[in-house]
Amino acid sequence: MSGELPSKSDLNLLVSVNGQILAASEAVFSLRSFVEPLIPDLVHAAEATDVFLNGRRYTVQRQILWQAPGVALGILFTLQQPATKPLIDPRLGEMALTLSSKLDIDHVLENVVRFAMDLLDADAGALPVYDPDRERLLPGHLVNLPVDLVAPAKGSRRGLMWDIIDQGISLLIPDYAAHSMALPDLVRIGVRSLLATPIIDGATPLGILALYRMRDEPFQERDRDLLQAIARQTAIALQSARMYQRAIRNADERYTLYQASVEIGATLDREQLYQAIHHAVNRLIPHTGVAIALLNDQQMVEYVYLVTQSGRQPAQQWPLTHGVAGYVLRFGVSLRLSGAQTLPEPALQPAPEIEGDLCQRSLLATPLVVGDRIIGALLAWNDQLDAYTMADLSALEMLAATVAVALHNALRFAQIQSLAMTDTLTELHNRRHFLYILQHEVDRARRYHTPVSVAMVDIDHFKQVNDTYGHLAGDQILREVAQRCRQHLRDVDILARYGGEEFGVILPETPYEAALLAAERLCRTVMATPFVIDGQFLKLTLSIGVATFHPVSHPDPSSLIADADRALYLAKRRGRNRVCGAQELSTYAEP
């Protein structure tokens, strides 16, 4: 291969103890096919060994990373081409050795700035870190400098520091005060000379190493070479620390997602499922609010679970055109929003009642997909700007895959349960569920000495309706009677279709006299408005029997129903269109 090779090329590879690649620096991708066959040998190799990759010789440094005492996380391999000339300063070797032992980014930054200031006799130093997810410079580590004077975290990409990042160039400014882009605040605190260079891994900027002198002894060109050598060592150290932290985070996320899948998959109860989902979001990402939104049968966005800083909020419904959840459901995309990043009108009409002011917070949203169908959306937000990275969105997306299946199963189970409990014609509770609830209410009344009453309701002369107008008309009458009765009962009352044209009503916390009054209201309600059948007006009435539970007279729910039924037939015998109570029965003996 012709041409002079670069003097140095560094690559980093993190491998598990069983030889699986966990993470790799960008520069190693082009050599991955050459490296992979050598991994089994490298795992068991000595601390340093030489290999040939694509015609070039590399020295492989081997370092074991520990997750806990005695528990190995993996092996970090650093591949280096031999330098063509000795280090500029022997103290660089000491710095490289120190940095290689650090896997905490803050420690790396602090050591680099201190070493660089010492080697180059600087009065101040800074190592702003580039955050590609948010496209901003973070303060990193500073010595003898105020935070806000190095590089603004927000705003346009302008200034000397951004030139270094965008152009990948180093800067040497002997007379800083005379430079056209000098910051007045830095000049005011006494900066006389600036030397700065980018910290780059392959083509990826990691940050900037900047040194300052407050005296009239400007930096020289030879200082630039030394700072660039320090920056190369820093890039290796930063990437190693980031790979380690990424591996730790990935391991934590995998464990969290595994725990979440166990908890979420352990229940078909929707409320318990919502709580398990919220718990999983708590462990994955920081947030001040979370929402689970589902697409209902009316093609509305239903926020079935909504928690803000003020606590759990009532369920809400919104059109698909409103809110971030509606946008996600319509377009099937995940979103990571921060501050002024908003979606264009009319694609999104904000729903501040749910999401708050999108200009003042960060938000993540991802669709819940089962097969090829979007069933809902999972949202989390934070009142801090730029709170989330792409890694946070990726974690939420992985959680959403488990959540979608669990919610789908829970909804199907609820539908099956509803069919088992519901009369399909009237959409009331069926007889089986009526008896189940009555058993519960009788047990409660027995335990706490509270009243519970039962009313058995029958439509008078219903057979004549079927014989005269047909069974379809009879079905219509049953549905309308059910609707009228339901509108005039309390939310706690249970109305069920007991069989044929007979209905049952459970009246919790209702004594005998109050139950009679409630039954009278039902009679008046049905009789007040004629029914319309084939354009003809038909007036119908009800006969109702009422009984109230007593622990001596009613050893079980069936005896209570029997008394109400006997009262119903007493009402029939007395001419129908009336209410009779069990205490009117000749065989009734009041305790």
Side-chain angles (χ1 to χ4, degrees):
M1 184 174 179
S2 61
E4 184 178 351
L5 296 176
S7 61
K8 195 176 184 67
S9 178
D10 299 326
L11 307 98
N12 296 288
L13 192 68
L14 183 60
V15 177
S16 69
V17 291
N18 59 7
Q20 180 184 0
I21 295 177
L22 301 177
S25 62
E26 184 178 349
V28 86
F29 290 162
S30 62
L31 295 174
R32 182 164 178 166
S33 61
F34 301 97
V35 174
E36 285 184 342
L38 303 177
I39 287 177
D41 293 329
L42 293 176
V43 168
H44 301 96
E47 292 299 319
T49 187
D50 287 345
V51 296
F52 283 87
L53 303 175
N54 199 22
R56 298 182 182 180
R57 183 165 66 91
Y58 293 83
T59 299
V60 182
Q61 300 289 338
R62 180 177 180 275
Q63 179 186 358
I64 298 178
L65 304 181
W66 300 98
Q67 183 173 358
V71 181
L73 172 68
I75 304 172
L76 178 66
F77 294 107
T78 301
L79 288 71
Q80 299 178 339
Q81 285 188 269
T84 57
K85 58 183 180 179
L87 294 172
I88 299 173
D89 190 296
R91 287 175 292 177
L92 281 175
E94 178 188 350
M95 185 191 79
L97 182 62
T98 301
L99 292 182
S100 66
S101 66
K102 302 292 183 182
L103 291 174
D104 181 272
I105 289 180
D106 290 336
H107 288 173
V108 170
L109 300 179
E110 179 180 1
N111 277 276
V112 166
V113 176
R114 296 290 182 183
F115 266 115
M117 289 177 60
D118 183 44
L119 264 60
L120 291 162
D121 195 20
D123 300 311
L127 205 165
V129 176
Y130 178 62
D131 182 351
D133 283 334
R134 302 177 178 90
E135 294 188 351
R136 66 178 185 177
L137 282 168
L138 304 175
H141 189 80
L142 310 175
V143 176
N144 297 337
L145 286 173
V147 173
D148 296 337
L149 298 187
V150 177
K154 303 173 186 176
S156 59
R157 298 169 70 106
R158 297 175 58 188
L160 292 174
M161 294 296 126
W162 280 115
D163 285 347
I164 295 172
I165 289 291
D166 292 335
Q167 300 174 27
I169 58 173
S170 60
L171 292 179
L172 171 57
I173 304 177
D175 186 0
Y176 181 79
H179 196 279
S180 61
M181 298 179 70
L183 295 176
D185 289 333
L186 286 180
V187 174
R188 188 174 61 252
I189 66 171
V191 171
R192 297 288 182 267
S193 179
L194 167 66
L195 177 62
T197 191
I199 301 170
I200 303 173
D201 177 62
T204 304
L206 304 179
I208 300 167
L209 181 53
L211 298 179
Y212 303 83
R213 282 183 178 169
M214 312 294 190
R215 59 190 189 277
D216 292 328
E217 296 179 26
F219 293 107
Q220 305 297 318
E221 280 298 328
R222 63 178 180 273
D223 297 326
R224 189 202 299 259
D225 294 337
L226 181 56
L227 192 65
Q228 289 174 338
I230 296 172
R232 286 194 292 271
Q233 293 292 334
T234 303
I236 297 171
L238 276 177
Q239 278 300 82
S240 297
R242 286 183 173 181
M243 289 169 65
Y244 174 77
Q245 291 189 350
R246 191 180 304 123
I248 292 295
R249 172 169 178 159
N250 289 343
D252 288 343
E253 281 184 356
R254 285 195 295 270
Y255 180 68
T256 297
L257 290 169
Y258 167 74
Q259 283 189 313
S261 67
V262 172
E263 293 174 8
I264 290 171
T267 180
L268 289 171
D269 179 83
R270 281 183 288 179
E271 185 58 34
Q272 292 180 9
L273 181 55
Y274 300 151
Q275 297 291 341
I277 294 169
H278 191 181
H279 186 214
V281 175
N282 281 343
R283 289 178 290 178
L284 280 175
I285 55 175
H287 65 277
T288 54
V290 65
I292 303 169
L294 298 176
L295 186 63
N296 64 21
D297 294 338
Q298 291 74 42
Q299 295 299 296
M300 297 280 286
V301 182
E302 185 173 355
Y303 290 84
V304 295
Y305 187 81
L306 177 63
V307 174
T308 66
Q309 281 186 309
S310 56
R312 178 80 178 266
Q313 304 300 316
Q316 301 183 32
Q317 288 190 18
W318 288 83
L320 271 171
T321 53
H322 286 66
V324 172
Y327 186 93
V328 169
L329 284 167
R330 281 185 293 149
F331 297 102
V333 296
S334 296
L335 296 176
R336 179 173 66 99
L337 303 178
S338 180
Q341 299 176 25
T342 57
L343 297 174
E345 297 284 357
L348 170 68
Q349 296 183 31
E353 297 86 350
I354 303 247
E355 301 137 5
D357 186 356
L358 293 179
C359 292
Q360 302 297 324
R361 61 175 33 167
S362 303
L363 183 143
L364 296 177
T366 189
L368 301 173
V369 183
V370 177
D372 58 354
R373 188 164 65 95
I374 302 173
I375 66 168
L378 180 60
L379 291 78
W381 55 85
N382 195 304
D383 289 338
Q384 300 295 322
L385 296 177
D386 295 322
Y388 297 128
T389 66
M390 288 302 297
D392 294 318
L393 181 58
S394 177
L396 194 68
E397 288 175 331
M398 287 189 286
L399 175 63
T402 299
V403 166
V405 175
L407 280 172
H408 177 69
N409 291 339
L411 292 171
R412 290 289 301 275
F413 179 73
Q415 290 172 350
I416 293 171
Q417 271 196 321
S418 177
L419 290 174
M421 298 185 305
T422 305
D423 173 65
T424 55
L425 176 64
T426 61
E427 296 183 353
L428 298 178
H429 297 296
N430 60 20
R431 178 173 179 162
R432 176 185 298 176
H433 195 55
F434 175 84
L435 295 175
Y436 172 80
I437 296 177
L438 182 58
Q439 179 69 64
H440 172 77
E441 290 296 335
V442 166
D443 290 344
R444 192 165 68 92
R446 197 185 303 275
R447 183 180 305 115
Y448 298 109
H449 308 290
T450 56
V452 60
S453 297
V454 167
M456 301 304 292
V457 182
D458 189 82
I459 303 175
D460 295 329
H461 303 297
F462 183 74
K463 185 177 183 301
Q464 293 180 11
V465 175
N466 280 332
D467 293 344
T468 304
Y469 299 99
H471 287 283
L472 290 179
D475 289 347
Q476 179 183 335
I477 293 293
L478 287 172
R479 283 192 293 267
E480 192 164 343
V481 168
Q483 183 179 2
R484 293 187 189 183
C485 290
R486 187 160 44 193
Q487 289 174 347
H488 287 79
L489 290 169
R490 302 170 300 175
D491 290 340
V492 297
D493 298 333
I494 301 298
L495 176 64
R497 185 182 179 194
Y498 197 75
E501 69 271 21
E502 190 173 9
F503 299 88
V505 184
I506 302 173
L507 302 162
E509 305 284 343
T510 306
Y512 181 74
E513 295 297 336
L516 292 174
L517 293 175
E520 292 284 359
R521 283 198 302 272
L522 294 184
C523 279
R524 291 194 299 270
T525 295
V526 170
M527 187 177 60
T529 305
F531 296 82
V532 180
I533 303 294
D534 294 335
Q536 300 182 39
F537 293 97
L538 180 65
K539 195 170 185 179
L540 294 176
T541 60
L542 300 180
S543 294
I544 302 178
V546 174
T548 300
F549 171 75
H550 191 280
V552 175
S553 303
H554 304 116
D556 52 42
S558 62
S559 59
L560 179 62
I561 294 174
D563 270 356
D565 242 348
R566 291 166 58 207
L568 167 63
Y569 286 104
L570 177 62
K572 293 280 189 182
R573 289 196 302 272
R574 289 181 176 179
R576 297 181 173 86
N577 187 25
R578 69 188 65 238
V579 175
C580 286
Q583 292 183 16
E584 301 175 54
L585 297 169
S586 59
T587 58
Y588 189 92
E590 185 176 2

